């Protein structure tokens, strides 16, 4: 079970998904090679041996990067597993490097630095359903 967040381009002044115009089509994150370079720069520890499905691991968490094989890259879905607020550090570094926003797919909210509520809510739900992570 993972907590899924989406990295996508939205207007800089947007602070909530409710502000997204109904007819808005997000810009792409960029050419595939440029996106992979940005991922490597933001997270040098990222394993991109499969460039469509990268991975970043920490001491108590892992993040799968569903980059896909399309060029240009429209968005990146992150599948986050484990525990610890430090799991959000690479998520926010990636968003900054790609000049995009982070959408919590469970809560439907944009995630900003210091906001951990969605991650905590997911962990509590997961622990009730499948038991605490190791």
């Amino acid at each position: 079970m993972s907590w899924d967040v989406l990295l996508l381009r939205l207007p800089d002044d947007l602070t909530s998904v409710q502000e997204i115009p109904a007819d808005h089509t997000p810009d792409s994150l960029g050419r595939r090679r440029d996106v992979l370079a940005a991922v490597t720069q933001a997270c040098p520890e990222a394993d991109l041996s499969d460039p469509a499905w990268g991975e970043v691991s920490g001491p108590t968490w892992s993040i799968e990067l569903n980059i896909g094989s399309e060029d240009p890259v429209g968005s990146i879905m992150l599948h986050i597993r484990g525990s610890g607020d430090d799991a959000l550090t690479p998520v926010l570094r990636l968003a900054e490097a790609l000049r995009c926003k982070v959408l919590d797919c469970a809560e439907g909210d944009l995630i900003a630095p210091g906001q951990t509520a969605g991650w905590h809510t997911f962990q509590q739900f997961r622990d009730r359903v499948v038991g605490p992570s190791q």
Side-chain angles (χ1 to χ4, degrees):
M1 177 179 277
S2 66
W3 181 51
D4 298 334
V5 300
L6 184 65
L7 302 179
L8 75 162
R9 275 284 156 78
L10 293 171
D12 289 337
D13 59 344
L14 226 84
T15 59
S16 166
V17 293
Q18 288 78 21
E19 298 172 9
I20 301 172
D23 62 347
H24 178 73
T25 302
D27 292 336
S28 75
L29 298 181
R31 304 238 6 215
R32 185 171 172 69
R33 70 172 181 259
D34 297 332
V35 168
L36 294 172
V39 168
T40 300
Q41 183 176 8
C43 297
E45 71 278 19
D47 176 356
L48 294 174
S49 54
D50 178 353
W53 275 97
E55 185 170 343
V56 178
S57 296
T60 60
W61 50 265
S62 66
I63 303 172
E64 287 180 313
L65 292 77
N66 183 351
I67 299 167
S69 57
E70 293 186 12
D71 193 2
V73 177
S75 61
I76 299 175
M77 181 68 77
L78 304 179
H79 306 284
I80 306 168
R81 294 176 178 83
S83 61
D85 289 350
D86 59 326
L88 295 174
T89 301
V91 172
L92 296 169
R93 282 195 325 237
L94 287 166
E96 183 178 352
L98 294 165
R99 299 179 338 275
C100 65
K101 303 274 187 182
V102 183
L103 173 65
D104 178 339
C105 295
E107 298 283 325
D109 293 327
L110 295 176
I111 301 169
Q115 293 179 328
T116 58
W119 176 227
H120 291 173
T121 299
F122 164 76
Q123 291 173 85
Q124 291 167 356
F125 172 76
R126 178 207 54 215
D127 292 351
R128 278 195 319 274
V129 173
V130 297
S133 67
Q134 281 16 336

